Coordinates of all heavy atoms in Angstrom, one line a residue:
M1 N 0.8 -1.2 0.0 CA 0.0 0.0 0.0 C 0.9 1.2 0.0 O 1.8 1.3 0.8 CB -0.9 0.0 1.3 CG -1.9 1.1 1.3 SD -2.6 1.4 2.9 CE -3.3 -0.2 3.3
D2 N 0.5 2.2 -0.9 CA 1.3 3.4 -0.9 C 0.8 4.3 0.3 O -0.3 4.3 0.6 CB 0.9 4.2 -2.2 CG 1.6 3.6 -3.4 OD1 2.5 2.8 -3.2 OD2 1.2 4.0 -4.5
N3 N 1.8 4.9 0.9 CA 1.4 5.8 2.0 C 2.5 6.9 2.1 O 3.6 6.6 2.4 CB 1.4 5.0 3.3 CG 0.6 5.7 4.4 OD1 -0.1 6.7 4.2 ND2 0.7 5.2 5.6
P4 N 2.2 8.2 1.8 CA 0.8 8.6 1.5 C 0.3 8.1 0.1 O 1.1 7.7 -0.7 CB 1.0 10.2 1.5 CG 2.4 10.4 1.2 CD 3.2 9.2 1.8
A5 N -1.0 8.3 -0.1 CA -1.6 7.8 -1.3 C -2.4 9.0 -1.9 O -2.7 9.9 -1.2 CB -2.5 6.6 -1.0
I6 N -2.7 8.8 -3.2 CA -3.5 9.8 -3.9 C -5.0 9.3 -3.9 O -5.2 8.1 -4.3 CB -3.0 10.0 -5.3 CG1 -1.5 10.4 -5.3 CG2 -3.9 11.0 -6.0 CD1 -1.3 11.8 -4.9
C7 N -5.9 10.1 -3.5 CA -7.3 9.7 -3.6 C -7.7 9.5 -5.1 O -7.5 10.4 -5.9 CB -8.2 10.8 -3.0 SG -10.0 10.4 -3.2
K8 N -8.2 8.3 -5.4 CA -8.6 8.0 -6.8 C -9.8 8.9 -7.3 O -9.9 9.2 -8.5 CB -9.0 6.6 -6.9 CG -7.8 5.6 -6.9 CD -8.2 4.2 -7.2 CE -7.0 3.3 -7.1 NZ -6.7 2.9 -5.7
A9 N -10.6 9.4 -6.3 CA -11.7 10.1 -6.7 C -11.5 11.6 -7.0 O -12.0 12.2 -7.9 CB -12.8 10.0 -5.6
C10 N -10.6 12.2 -6.1 CA -10.4 13.7 -6.2 C -9.0 14.1 -6.4 O -8.7 15.2 -6.7 CB -11.0 14.4 -5.0 SG -10.1 14.2 -3.5
G11 N -8.0 13.1 -6.3 CA -6.6 13.5 -6.5 C -5.9 14.1 -5.3 O -4.8 14.5 -5.5
A12 N -6.6 14.2 -4.2 CA -6.0 14.7 -3.0 C -5.0 13.7 -2.4 O -5.1 12.5 -2.5 CB -7.0 15.1 -2.0
L13 N -4.0 14.3 -1.7 CA -3.0 13.5 -1.0 C -3.6 13.1 0.3 O -4.1 13.9 1.1 CB -1.7 14.3 -0.8 CG -0.4 13.6 -0.6 CD1 -0.1 12.5 -1.7 CD2 0.7 14.6 -0.5
M14 N -3.5 11.8 0.7 CA -4.0 11.4 2.0 C -3.0 10.3 2.5 O -2.2 9.7 1.8 CB -5.4 10.8 1.8 CG -5.5 9.7 0.8 SD -7.2 9.3 0.4 CE -6.9 7.8 -0.5
A15 N -3.1 10.2 3.9 CA -2.2 9.3 4.6 C -3.0 8.3 5.3 O -4.1 8.6 5.9 CB -1.3 10.1 5.6
F16 N -2.6 7.1 5.3 CA -3.3 6.0 6.1 C -2.8 6.0 7.5 O -1.6 5.9 7.7 CB -3.1 4.7 5.4 CG -3.9 4.5 4.1 CD1 -3.3 4.7 2.9 CD2 -5.2 4.3 4.1 CE1 -4.0 4.7 1.7 CE2 -6.0 4.2 3.0 CZ -5.3 4.4 1.7
V17 N -3.7 6.0 8.4 CA -3.4 5.9 9.8 C -4.1 4.7 10.5 O -5.1 4.3 9.9 CB -3.7 7.2 10.6 CG1 -2.9 8.4 10.1 CG2 -5.2 7.5 10.5
Q18 N -3.6 4.3 11.6 CA -4.2 3.2 12.3 C -5.1 3.7 13.4 O -4.8 4.6 14.2 CB -3.1 2.4 13.1 CG -2.1 1.8 12.2 CD -2.5 0.4 11.6 OE1 -3.4 -0.2 12.1 NE2 -1.8 0.0 10.6
T19 N -6.4 3.2 13.4 CA -7.3 3.6 14.5 C -7.1 2.8 15.7 O -6.4 1.7 15.6 CB -8.8 3.5 14.0 OG1 -9.1 2.1 13.9 CG2 -9.0 4.2 12.7
S20 N -7.7 3.2 16.8 CA -7.5 2.4 18.0 C -8.2 1.0 17.9 O -7.8 0.1 18.6 CB -8.1 3.1 19.2 OG -9.5 3.5 18.9
A21 N -9.1 0.9 16.9 CA -9.7 -0.4 16.7 C -8.9 -1.3 15.8 O -9.2 -2.4 15.5 CB -11.1 -0.2 16.1
G22 N -7.7 -0.8 15.4 CA -6.8 -1.6 14.6 C -7.1 -1.5 13.1 O -6.6 -2.3 12.3
K23 N -7.9 -0.6 12.8 CA -8.3 -0.4 11.3 C -7.4 0.6 10.7 O -6.9 1.5 11.4 CB -9.8 -0.1 11.2 CG -10.6 -1.3 11.7 CD -12.0 -1.2 11.1 CE -12.8 -2.5 11.4 NZ -14.1 -2.2 11.9
T24 N -7.4 0.6 9.4 CA -6.7 1.6 8.7 C -7.6 2.6 8.0 O -8.6 2.2 7.5 CB -5.8 1.0 7.6 OG1 -5.1 -0.1 8.1 CG2 -4.9 1.9 6.9
M25 N -7.4 3.9 8.2 CA -8.3 4.9 7.5 C -7.4 6.0 6.9 O -6.4 6.3 7.4 CB -9.3 5.4 8.5 CG -8.8 6.3 9.5 SD -10.1 6.9 10.5 CE -10.4 8.5 9.8
P26 N -7.9 6.6 5.8 CA -7.2 7.7 5.2 C -7.6 9.0 5.8 O -8.8 9.3 6.0 CB -7.7 7.6 3.7 CG -9.1 7.0 3.8 CD -9.1 6.2 5.0
V27 N -6.6 9.8 6.1 CA -6.8 11.2 6.6 C -6.2 12.1 5.6 O -5.3 11.8 4.9 CB -6.3 11.4 8.0 CG1 -7.0 10.4 9.0 CG2 -4.8 11.2 8.1
N28 N -6.6 13.4 5.6 CA -6.0 14.4 4.7 C -4.6 14.6 5.1 O -4.3 14.8 6.3 CB -6.8 15.7 4.8 CG -8.2 15.6 4.2 OD1 -8.4 14.8 3.3 ND2 -9.1 16.3 4.7
F29 N -3.7 14.5 4.1 CA -2.3 14.6 4.4 C -1.9 15.9 5.0 O -1.0 16.0 5.9 CB -1.5 14.4 3.1 CG 0.0 14.3 3.2 CD1 0.6 13.1 3.6 CD2 0.8 15.4 2.9 CE1 1.9 13.0 3.8 CE2 2.2 15.3 3.1 CZ 2.7 14.1 3.5
S30 N -2.7 16.9 4.7 CA -2.4 18.3 5.2 C -2.7 18.4 6.7 O -2.3 19.3 7.4 CB -3.2 19.3 4.5 OG -4.6 19.0 4.6
T31 N -3.4 17.4 7.3 CA -3.7 17.5 8.7 C -2.6 16.8 9.6 O -2.7 16.7 10.8 CB -5.1 16.9 9.1 OG1 -5.1 15.5 8.7 CG2 -6.2 17.6 8.4
L32 N -1.6 16.2 8.9 CA -0.5 15.6 9.6 C 0.4 16.6 10.2 O 0.6 17.7 9.5 CB 0.3 14.6 8.7 CG -0.4 13.4 8.1 CD1 0.6 12.6 7.4 CD2 -1.2 12.6 9.1
T33 N 1.1 16.3 11.3 CA 2.1 17.2 11.8 C 3.4 16.9 11.0 O 3.5 15.9 10.3 CB 2.4 17.0 13.3 OG1 2.9 15.7 13.4 CG2 1.2 17.2 14.1
E34 N 4.4 17.9 11.1 CA 5.6 17.7 10.4 C 6.3 16.4 10.9 O 6.9 15.6 10.1 CB 6.6 18.9 10.6 CG 6.1 20.1 9.8 CD 6.0 19.9 8.3 OE1 6.9 19.3 7.7 OE2 5.0 20.2 7.7
A35 N 6.2 16.1 12.2 CA 6.8 14.9 12.7 C 6.2 13.7 12.2 O 6.9 12.7 11.9 CB 6.7 15.0 14.3
E36 N 4.9 13.7 12.0 CA 4.2 12.6 11.4 C 4.5 12.3 10.0 O 4.6 11.2 9.5 CB 2.7 12.8 11.6 CG 2.2 12.6 13.1 CD 0.8 13.0 13.3 OE1 0.3 13.8 12.5 OE2 0.2 12.5 14.3
K37 N 4.7 13.4 9.2 CA 5.1 13.2 7.8 C 6.5 12.5 7.7 O 6.7 11.7 6.8 CB 5.2 14.6 7.1 CG 3.8 15.2 6.9 CD 3.9 16.6 6.3 CE 2.6 17.3 6.3 NZ 2.6 18.7 5.9
I38 N 7.4 12.8 8.7 CA 8.7 12.2 8.7 C 8.5 10.7 9.0 O 9.1 9.9 8.4 CB 9.6 12.9 9.7 CG1 10.0 14.3 9.2 CG2 10.9 12.1 10.0 CD1 10.6 15.2 10.2
I39 N 7.7 10.4 10.0 CA 7.4 9.0 10.4 C 6.9 8.2 9.2 O 7.3 7.1 8.9 CB 6.4 8.9 11.5 CG1 7.0 9.5 12.8 CG2 5.9 7.5 11.7 CD1 6.0 9.7 13.9
L40 N 6.0 8.9 8.4 CA 5.4 8.2 7.3 C 6.5 8.0 6.2 O 6.5 6.9 5.6 CB 4.3 9.2 6.7 CG 3.2 8.6 6.0 CD1 2.4 7.7 6.9 CD2 2.3 9.6 5.4
R41 N 7.4 9.0 6.0 CA 8.4 8.8 5.0 C 9.3 7.7 5.4 O 9.9 7.1 4.5 CB 9.2 10.1 4.9 CG 9.0 10.8 3.6 CD 9.7 12.2 3.6 NE 8.8 13.3 3.7 CZ 9.0 14.3 4.5 NH1 10.0 14.5 5.2 NH2 8.1 15.3 4.5
R42 N 9.5 7.4 6.6 CA 10.3 6.2 7.0 C 9.6 4.9 6.9 O 10.1 3.9 7.1 CB 10.7 6.4 8.5 CG 11.7 7.5 8.8 CD 12.5 7.3 10.0 NE 11.6 7.2 11.2 CZ 11.6 8.2 12.2 NH1 12.4 9.2 12.1 NH2 10.8 8.0 13.2
G43 N 8.3 5.0 6.5 CA 7.5 3.8 6.3 C 7.0 3.2 7.5 O 6.6 2.0 7.6
E44 N 6.9 4.0 8.6 CA 6.4 3.5 9.9 C 4.9 3.8 10.0 O 4.4 4.8 9.4 CB 7.2 4.1 11.0 CG 8.6 3.6 11.1 CD 9.5 4.4 12.0 OE1 9.0 5.1 12.9 OE2 10.7 4.3 11.8
A45 N 4.2 3.1 10.8 CA 2.8 3.2 11.0 C 2.5 4.5 11.9 O 3.2 4.8 12.8 CB 2.2 2.0 11.6
L46 N 1.4 5.1 11.5 CA 1.0 6.3 12.3 C -0.3 6.0 13.0 O -1.2 5.3 12.4 CB 0.7 7.5 11.3 CG 1.7 8.4 10.9 CD1 1.1 9.5 10.1 CD2 2.4 9.0 12.1
N47 N -0.5 6.5 14.2 CA -1.8 6.3 14.9 C -2.7 7.5 14.6 O -2.3 8.6 14.5 CB -1.5 6.2 16.4 CG -0.8 4.9 16.7 OD1 -1.1 3.8 16.1 ND2 0.1 4.9 17.6
Y48 N -4.0 7.1 14.5 CA -5.0 8.2 14.2 C -5.1 9.0 15.5 O -5.2 8.5 16.6 CB -6.3 7.5 13.9 CG -7.5 8.4 13.8 CD1 -7.5 9.4 12.9 CD2 -8.6 8.3 14.7 CE1 -8.6 10.3 12.8 CE2 -9.7 9.1 14.6 CZ -9.7 10.1 13.6 OH -10.8 11.0 13.5
N49 N -5.1 10.3 15.3 CA -5.3 11.3 16.4 C -6.6 12.1 16.1 O -6.6 12.9 15.2 CB -4.1 12.2 16.5 CG -4.2 13.0 17.8 OD1 -5.3 13.6 18.1 ND2 -3.1 13.2 18.5
K50 N -7.6 11.8 16.9 CA -8.9 12.5 16.5 C -8.9 14.0 16.8 O -9.8 14.7 16.4 CB -10.1 11.8 17.2 CG -10.1 11.9 18.8 CD -11.3 11.2 19.3 CE -11.5 11.1 20.7 NZ -10.7 11.6 21.7
E51 N -7.9 14.4 17.5 CA -7.8 15.9 17.8 C -7.6 16.7 16.6 O -8.0 17.8 16.5 CB -6.6 16.1 18.8 CG -6.7 15.4 20.2 CD -8.0 15.9 21.0 OE1 -8.3 17.1 20.9 OE2 -8.6 15.0 21.6
Y52 N -6.8 16.2 15.7 CA -6.5 17.0 14.5 C -6.5 16.3 13.2 O -6.4 16.9 12.1 CB -5.2 17.8 14.7 CG -4.0 16.9 15.0 CD1 -3.3 16.3 14.0 CD2 -3.6 16.7 16.3 CE1 -2.2 15.5 14.3 CE2 -2.5 15.8 16.6 CZ -1.8 15.3 15.6 OH -0.8 14.4 15.9
H53 N -6.5 15.0 13.2 CA -6.6 14.3 11.9 C -8.0 14.4 11.3 O -8.9 14.2 12.1 CB -6.2 12.8 12.0 CG -4.7 12.6 12.2 ND1 -4.2 11.5 12.8 CD2 -3.7 13.3 11.8 CE1 -2.9 11.5 12.8 NE2 -2.5 12.7 12.2
I54 N -8.1 14.6 10.1 CA -9.4 14.7 9.5 C -9.6 13.6 8.4 O -8.8 13.5 7.5 CB -9.7 16.1 8.8 CG1 -9.7 17.2 9.9 CG2 -11.0 16.1 8.0 CD1 -9.7 18.6 9.4
S55 N -10.6 12.8 8.6 CA -10.8 11.7 7.7 C -11.0 12.2 6.3 O -11.8 13.1 6.1 CB -12.0 10.9 8.1 OG -12.4 10.0 7.0
H56 N -10.3 11.6 5.3 CA -10.5 12.1 4.0 C -11.9 11.9 3.5 O -12.4 12.7 2.7 CB -9.5 11.5 3.0 CG -9.7 12.0 1.6 ND1 -9.4 13.4 1.3 CD2 -10.1 11.5 0.5 CE1 -9.7 13.6 0.1 NE2 -10.1 12.5 -0.5
F57 N -12.6 10.8 3.9 CA -13.9 10.6 3.5 C -14.9 11.7 3.9 O -15.9 11.9 3.3 CB -14.4 9.2 4.1 CG -13.7 8.0 3.5 CD1 -13.3 7.0 4.3 CD2 -13.4 8.0 2.1 CE1 -12.7 5.9 3.7 CE2 -12.7 6.9 1.6 CZ -12.4 5.9 2.4
A58 N -14.5 12.4 5.0 CA -15.4 13.5 5.5 C -15.3 14.7 4.6 O -16.2 15.5 4.6 CB -15.0 13.8 6.9
T59 N -14.2 14.9 3.9 CA -14.0 16.1 3.1 C -13.9 15.9 1.6 O -13.8 16.8 0.9 CB -12.7 16.8 3.6 OG1 -11.6 16.0 3.4 CG2 -12.8 17.2 5.1
C60 N -13.7 14.7 1.2 CA -13.6 14.4 -0.2 C -14.7 14.9 -1.0 O -15.9 14.6 -0.7 CB -13.4 12.9 -0.4 SG -13.1 12.5 -2.2
P61 N -14.5 15.8 -2.0 CA -15.6 16.3 -2.8 C -16.3 15.3 -3.6 O -17.4 15.5 -4.1 CB -14.9 17.4 -3.7 CG -13.5 17.0 -3.7 CD -13.2 16.3 -2.4
A62 N -15.6 14.1 -3.8 CA -16.2 13.1 -4.6 C -16.7 11.9 -3.7 O -16.9 10.8 -4.2 CB -15.1 12.6 -5.6
A63 N -16.8 12.1 -2.4 CA -17.1 11.0 -1.5 C -18.4 10.3 -1.9 O -18.5 9.1 -1.8 CB -17.3 11.5 -0.1
S64 N -19.4 11.1 -2.4 CA -20.6 10.4 -2.8 C -20.5 9.5 -4.0 O -21.3 8.6 -4.2 CB -21.7 11.5 -3.1 OG -21.2 12.3 -4.2
N65 N -19.4 9.6 -4.7 CA -19.1 8.7 -5.8 C -18.7 7.3 -5.4 O -18.8 6.4 -6.2 CB -18.0 9.3 -6.7 CG -18.4 10.6 -7.4 OD1 -19.6 10.9 -7.5 ND2 -17.5 11.3 -8.0
F66 N -18.2 7.2 -4.2 CA -17.6 6.0 -3.7 C -18.7 4.9 -3.8 O -18.5 3.8 -4.2 CB -17.1 6.1 -2.3 CG -15.8 6.9 -2.3 CD1 -15.5 7.7 -1.2 CD2 -14.9 6.8 -3.3 CE1 -14.3 8.4 -1.1 CE2 -13.7 7.6 -3.2 CZ -13.4 8.4 -2.1
R67 N -19.9 5.2 -3.3 CA -21.0 4.2 -3.2 C -21.5 4.0 -4.6 O -21.7 2.9 -5.0 CB -22.1 4.7 -2.3 CG -21.8 4.4 -0.9 CD -22.8 5.0 0.1 NE -22.1 5.6 1.2 CZ -22.1 6.9 1.4 NH1 -22.7 7.7 0.6 NH2 -21.4 7.4 2.4
K68 N -21.7 5.0 -5.4 CA -22.2 4.9 -6.8 C -21.3 4.0 -7.6 O -21.7 3.3 -8.4 CB -22.4 6.3 -7.4 CG -23.6 7.0 -6.9 CD -23.6 8.4 -7.7 CE -24.3 9.4 -6.8 NZ -24.0 10.8 -7.2
A69 N -20.0 4.2 -7.4 CA -19.0 3.6 -8.3 C -18.9 2.1 -8.0 O -18.4 1.3 -8.8 CB -17.6 4.2 -8.1
K70 N -19.3 1.7 -6.8 CA -19.2 0.3 -6.4 C -20.2 -0.6 -7.2 O -21.4 -0.3 -7.3 CB -19.5 0.1 -4.9 CG -18.4 -0.6 -4.2 CD -18.7 -0.6 -2.7 CE -17.4 -0.9 -2.0 NZ -17.5 -0.8 -0.5
K71 N -19.7 -1.7 -7.7 CA -20.5 -2.5 -8.5 C -20.9 -3.8 -7.8 O -20.2 -4.3 -7.0 CB -19.8 -2.9 -9.8 CG -19.8 -1.8 -10.8 CD -18.8 -2.1 -12.0 CE -18.6 -0.8 -12.7 NZ -17.3 -0.8 -13.5
Ligands
ZN1 ZN1 -10.9 12.3 -2.4

């Protein structure tokens, strides 16, 4: 998996983080701290921080396409 990755729907840069439930979710790359971007560049896992990480699904302008596109 690429991390950071490009959203296929809108082309935005997003980073995958681990939630406390052990799941992976994409957050907007711009909401990462500088320290977190460095961690990501080293290929290490990042933990989701609900204080400032914003789920890309919440802001993606093409989010409604995800369901429609599913076959
Ligand atoms: Zn998007």
